Amino acid sequence: MMPEFFQTVLPPEWEQYVTPLPKAVLLELPNLKRGDKKLITEVILQASMTVVNDDLWPAIPAATDAEELQMFSIELQATCTTAQRKRLQELLHGALPHTLLLLLHVGANRYLSARHGECSICSPLPDALPQEFAQAMNIRHGAPANLRALYNRWLCALHSLSLLQHEKLLQLVPTMGFRPFASPEQAAPFLKQLNALLRELATLDAALKTCRMPGKRVELANRRHATRQLIISLISTPS
């Protein structure tokens, strides 16, 4: 069966193109390391896949670097650890770089991931998908120039969804809305700057907890306030 999320992304008639993804296929991936076969055998319960290409969806032609897009849905043991899940994501995105949309089910939780260059983006899927995210992921929305443009749109939507679920950001900007990105290349420097500021804020928070010198505490508090304001300004500025 096609997973519920994929039903919101693809037309209903695509269910006939969903096929099982046997463990035997995953056990033959070229980038396996020691322990990966055991991980695949013991942690994966079942898997299915479908492929987006211009034969099945002629409205969106292939691109030179994206002749088809793979969509995997894999159910994992409820006891699967975060480290095991991340290793499976790394393994699959490494074997199928830049053209895989991966949905992992761990108990009641769902994780959607994709890869751009050397950077992988993963986000939990909330029960209620933001309208902007659902629209961006829907293959029937808009008119992507080709499959690469569609995949890039998926990447941008995942970046935006991950920001919406970032607990630290929500504490700083409770009213933060869905932030659209025009391309992964536009998202990359924004996220790099944001992550650097968040790391700096965490460092200042930790320093303040241990500092006992009044003058130094004032300096640290001022730097923390300035960093918080930079983050708020960055998030609040339209892309």
Side-chain angles (χ1 to χ4, degrees):
M1 292 293 291
M2 182 183 293
E4 182 182 353
F5 173 74
F6 284 178
Q7 292 181 32
T8 69
V9 174
L10 301 171
E13 60 269 20
W14 271 61
E15 188 164 4
Q16 62 185 302
Y17 298 111
V18 177
T19 60
L21 180 59
K23 287 186 184 181
V25 173
L26 299 177
L27 290 170
E28 295 299 321
L29 291 174
N31 57 335
L32 294 177
K33 295 181 180 179
R34 184 176 180 179
D36 286 339
K37 288 190 175 182
K38 181 179 180 181
L39 177 65
I40 291 169
T41 301
E42 295 183 356
V43 174
I44 294 178
L45 293 176
Q46 59 180 348
S48 60
M49 66 170 293
T50 189
V51 175
V52 180
N53 58 34
D54 55 3
D55 287 335
L56 299 179
W57 191 255
I60 305 178
T64 55
D65 60 346
E67 294 184 0
E68 62 182 23
L69 306 182
Q70 293 93 3
M71 302 173 71
F72 287 6
S73 174
I74 301 179
E75 183 181 352
L76 307 179
Q77 296 279 3
T79 55
C80 175
T81 66
T82 299
Q84 289 174 323
R85 171 177 60 80
K86 288 184 175 180
R87 175 54 190 155
L88 285 171
Q89 289 170 333
E90 178 186 24
L91 180 62
L92 291 166
H93 286 300
L96 295 166
H98 322 310
T99 57
L100 172 65
L101 186 68
L102 175 63
L103 179 64
L104 295 182
H105 306 253
V106 184
N109 299 314
R110 301 172 298 166
Y111 301 88
L112 189 66
S113 59
R115 178 179 170 184
H116 177 247
E118 295 305 311
C119 174
S120 294
I121 176 68
C122 175
S123 178
L125 285 184
D127 292 334
L129 297 177
Q131 182 179 355
E132 298 93 336
F133 173 76
Q135 189 176 62
M137 297 300 299
N138 193 328
I139 194 174
R140 292 161 287 185
H141 173 70
N146 51 48
L147 291 176
R148 168 56 60 196
L150 175 63
Y151 191 74
N152 286 349
R153 193 176 80 187
W154 286 350
L155 282 162
C156 291
L158 271 172
H159 280 306
S160 300
L161 183 65
S162 66
L163 288 177
L164 268 185
Q165 300 184 94
H166 196 297
E167 291 184 5
K168 189 66 174 181
L169 288 178
L170 288 173
Q171 291 173 8
L172 295 173
V173 191
T175 58
M176 180 174 60
F178 190 86
R179 183 184 185 89
F181 293 105
S183 68
E185 290 75 19
Q186 183 198 59
F190 174 90
L191 295 169
K192 183 178 180 179
Q193 182 183 6
L194 179 61
N195 287 328
L197 288 170
L198 287 169
R199 287 194 297 270
E200 182 179 351
L201 184 61
T203 299
L204 291 169
D205 283 339
L208 265 169
K209 288 180 180 178
T210 59
C211 182
R212 297 293 180 265
M213 300 171 60
K216 184 65 174 178
R217 285 187 59 83
V218 171
E219 177 192 344
L220 289 171
N222 287 338
R223 287 173 55 191
R224 182 177 66 173
H225 176 74
T227 303
R228 288 168 60 96
Q229 292 306 117
L230 279 173
I231 293 173
I232 292 171
S233 175
L234 186 63
I235 286 294
S236 302
T237 301
S239 58

